[in-house]
């Protein structure tokens, strides 16, 4: 058995098309402003069924999610005992808080630059 | 056929639960992360402790821990939606004895057993001990997303979940941080009392796998030698079967294996025994 991750656009999703074992295991996700149903299951519940994308690893799935990451900053918190900044973003898949080393309060531009660097956004 | 007596890294002979000497090969198992899946972790629920309490856990770290984003375990109180999470400065306890250590960010009224060497926890096998004898324990504040300070100390709310190999920043229901790839976890015990230093040293000196000095106050005893289909229902009527690891304390507080692919329980058990659990002592 091989675990896989598969997604199908919500508008095309019909639970009855899939095995009864996993029909209630789909979860809602959003990628690049498009709604999907995601299934994390063994390959026998994925290989012979209809999906838009199938991923063999979490890395591949996360790379796909990152294609549409929303880096809008929603919250910034600091831990001065440990010199850390914790930045939360609007993306539903990677909201954070994302931790950064920080010795003084950052401007919103500093925060955005740190987030952009983390997600490799130029 | 002659058997070879197993010895740990310190040359000590090891004993099993029954008192028998371990021989080579001995099939140690443990829970580990499997990044091919999403990252397995263990969730232990169905109990409740308030201080004093002690969590003892054998771990084998494949990386040095230099950040607090590599959780080995986390404790959760659903009553107040708070999390106590291990970091080296918030209560983890590792090899190389240095007792009566006071964690930074914490008060002096609680004593932790820090077996680390400063701010970095070195890779290798460790006995992680977290013992609490007062409410003055740093906790992660869900609202402020921060640690430390007296305002974030843990109140008297009971701990009712322990996560092994996972911690959380984002919320209290599912982990957003997992132990680093390859970190493994062996026998883990929770007591509803403050274990003495002598009891901790006994476990440390005898190595992973041996029974504790006493089972007085033992809440759960997760010894991850194999995954099983276990009954998690309150009535023990078979109505809630899940893939898990048996609690050897007799209290039926089994650990559920989380983060594995969906399928039947039988499929999850088979997968866990082949891919999630592997030898703790190589």
């Amino acid at each position: 058995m091989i675990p896989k991750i598969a997604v199908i656009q919500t508008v095309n999703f019909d639970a009855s098309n899939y095995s009864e074992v996993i029909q209630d295991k789909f979860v809602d996700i959003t990628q690049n402003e498009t709604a999907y149903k995601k299934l994390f299951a063994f390959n026998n519940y994925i290989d012979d069924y209809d999906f838009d994308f199938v991923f063999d690893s979490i890395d591949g799935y996360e790379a796909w999610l990152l294609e549409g990451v929303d880096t809008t900053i929603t919250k910034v918190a600091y831990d001065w005992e440990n010199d850390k900044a914790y930045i939360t973003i609007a993306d539903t898949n990677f909201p954070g808080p994302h931790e950064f080393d920080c010795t003084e309060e950052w401007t919103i531009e500093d925060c955005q630059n740190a987030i952009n660097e983390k997600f490799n956004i130029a | 056929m002659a058997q070879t007596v197993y010895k740990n890294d310190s040359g000590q002979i090891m004993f099993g639960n029954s008192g028998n000497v371990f021989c080579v090969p001995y099939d140690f198992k443990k829970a580990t992360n499997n990044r091919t899946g999403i990252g397995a972790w263990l969730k232990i629920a169905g109990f409740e402790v308030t201080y004093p309490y002690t969590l003892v856990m054998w771990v084998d770290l494949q990386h040095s821990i230099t950040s607090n984003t590599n959780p080995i375990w986390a404790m959760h109180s659903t009553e107040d939606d708070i999390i106590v999470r291990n970091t080296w400065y918030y209560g983890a306890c590792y090899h190389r004895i240095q007792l009566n250590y006071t964690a930074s960010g914490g008060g002096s009224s609680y004593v932790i057993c820090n077996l680390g060497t400063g701010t970095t926890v070195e890779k290798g096998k460790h006995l992680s001990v977290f013992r609490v004898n007062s409410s003055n324990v740093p906790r992660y504040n869900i609202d402020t997303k921060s640690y430390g300070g007296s305002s974030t100390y843990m109140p008297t709310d009971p701990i009712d979940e322990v996560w092994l190999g996972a911690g959380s920043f984002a919320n209290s229901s599912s982990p957003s941080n997992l132990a680093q790839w390859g970190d493994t976890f062996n026998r883990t015990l929770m007591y509803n009392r403050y274990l003495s230093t002598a009891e901790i040293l006994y476990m440390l000196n005898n190595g992973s796998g041996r029974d504790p000095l006493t089972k007085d106050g033992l809440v759960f005893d997760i010894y991850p030698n194999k995954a099983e289909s276990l009954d998690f229902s309150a009535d023990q009527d078979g109505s809630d079967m899940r893939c898990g690891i048996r609690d050897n304390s007799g209290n039926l507080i089994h650990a559920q294996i989380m983060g594995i692919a969906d399928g039947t329980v039988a499929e999850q058990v088979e997968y866990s025994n082949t891919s999630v659990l592997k030898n703790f002592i190589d």
Side-chain angles (χ1 to χ4, degrees), chain B residues 39-271:
Chain B
W41 55 284
L42 300 182
K43 180 178 181 178
I44 306 166
F47 69 96
E48 191 173 287
V49 294
T50 53
Y51 70 89
Y53 60 85
T54 305
L55 180 73
V56 183
M57 177 184 186
W58 280 98
V59 299
D60 190 358
L61 303 178
Q62 302 303 304
H63 316 77
S64 297
I65 293 180
T66 57
S67 162
N68 63 359
T69 57
N70 307 126
I72 298 172
W73 53 258
M75 294 183 188
H76 183 215
S77 174
T78 54
E79 186 170 312
D80 195 40
D81 197 23
I82 58 173
I83 284 177
V84 180
R85 194 185 62 167
N86 78 289
T87 67
W88 66 91
Y89 46 79
Y90 284 114
C93 177
Y94 303 95
H95 264 320
R96 297 197 182 92
I97 297 292
Q98 179 191 344
L99 294 173
N100 299 328
Y101 172 87
T102 300
S104 63
S108 58
S109 60
Y110 69 97
V111 176
I112 66 169
C113 167
N114 178 20
L115 308 180
T117 55
T119 56
T120 299
V121 179
E122 298 170 2
K123 68 178 181 181
K125 297 181 181 67
H126 303 281
L127 179 66
S128 172
V129 180
F130 187 69
R131 52 180 181 167
V132 175
N133 62 357
S134 88
S135 63
N136 194 19
V137 176
R139 57 145 166 148
Y140 179 62
N141 188 307
I142 293 294
D143 295 326
T144 63
K145 303 285 189 289
S146 63
Y147 288 93
S150 58
S151 62
T152 58
Y153 284 162
M154 185 176 202
T156 56
D157 302 325
I159 295 291
D160 51 14
E161 285 185 7
V162 170
W163 300 349
L164 306 185
S168 175
F169 273 104
N171 58 68
S172 57
S173 60
S174 60
S176 57
N177 291 74
L178 294 171
Q180 295 189 86
W181 191 0
D183 289 351
T184 58
F185 313 97
N186 202 5
R187 193 169 191 170
T188 301
L189 307 99
M190 169 71 92
Y191 286 84
N192 62 10
R193 62 186 179 85
Y194 189 83
L195 283 194
S196 70
T197 300
E199 290 174 294
I200 292 171
L201 294 179
Y202 178 89
M203 282 189 270
L204 180 69
N205 291 332
N206 282 291
S208 176
R210 191 170 181 184
D211 274 351
L213 191 60
T214 172
K215 294 188 176 182
D216 178 35
L218 186 61
V219 178
F220 60 73
D221 177 4
I222 302 299
Y223 199 0
N225 268 353
K226 65 175 180 179
E228 300 177 69
S229 176
L230 296 168
D231 189 355
F232 282 73
S233 66
D235 295 334
Q236 291 292 292
D237 58 2
S239 62
D240 187 10
M241 303 302 291
R242 305 180 202 172
C243 174
I245 294 172
R246 185 177 298 277
D247 168 27
N248 293 303
S249 74
N251 296 328
L252 301 175
I253 303 171
H254 308 309
Q256 184 178 2
I257 301 178
M258 310 293 287
I260 55 175
D262 281 319
T264 64
V265 174
E267 288 172 330
Q268 291 181 322
V269 169
E270 179 184 344
Y271 174 77

Side-chain angles (χ1 to χ4, degrees), chain B residues 2-8 11-29 58 186-187 206-211 223 225 280-281:
Chain B
Q3 291 183 304
T4 303
V5 172
Y6 184 92
K7 295 183 179 179
N8 66 11
Q12 297 161 326
I13 296 172
M14 301 176 69
F15 299 83
N17 290 334
S18 63
N20 294 330
V21 174
F22 284 178
C23 292
V24 178
Y26 185 81
D27 190 21
F28 281 102
K29 298 275 181 103
W58 280 98
N186 202 5
R187 193 169 191 170
N206 282 291
S208 176
R210 191 170 181 184
D211 274 351
Y223 199 0
N225 268 353
F280 182 75
I281 296 179

Side-chain angles (χ1 to χ4, degrees), chain A residues 7-31:
Chain A
V7 295
I8 183 170
Q9 282 198 37
T10 303
V11 294
N12 300 322
F13 175 72
D14 180 351
S16 65
N17 291 335
Y18 302 90
S19 166
E20 290 183 359
V21 173
I22 49 82
Q23 280 181 3
D24 62 347
K25 304 297 183 184
F26 287 85
V27 295
D28 294 318
I29 63 162
T30 301
Q31 189 267 359

Side-chain angles (χ1 to χ4, degrees), chain A residues 94-105:
Chain A
F94 306 99
H98 302 281
E99 181 186 275
F100 300 93
D101 293 328
C102 173
T103 56
E104 59 184 20
E105 195 164 314

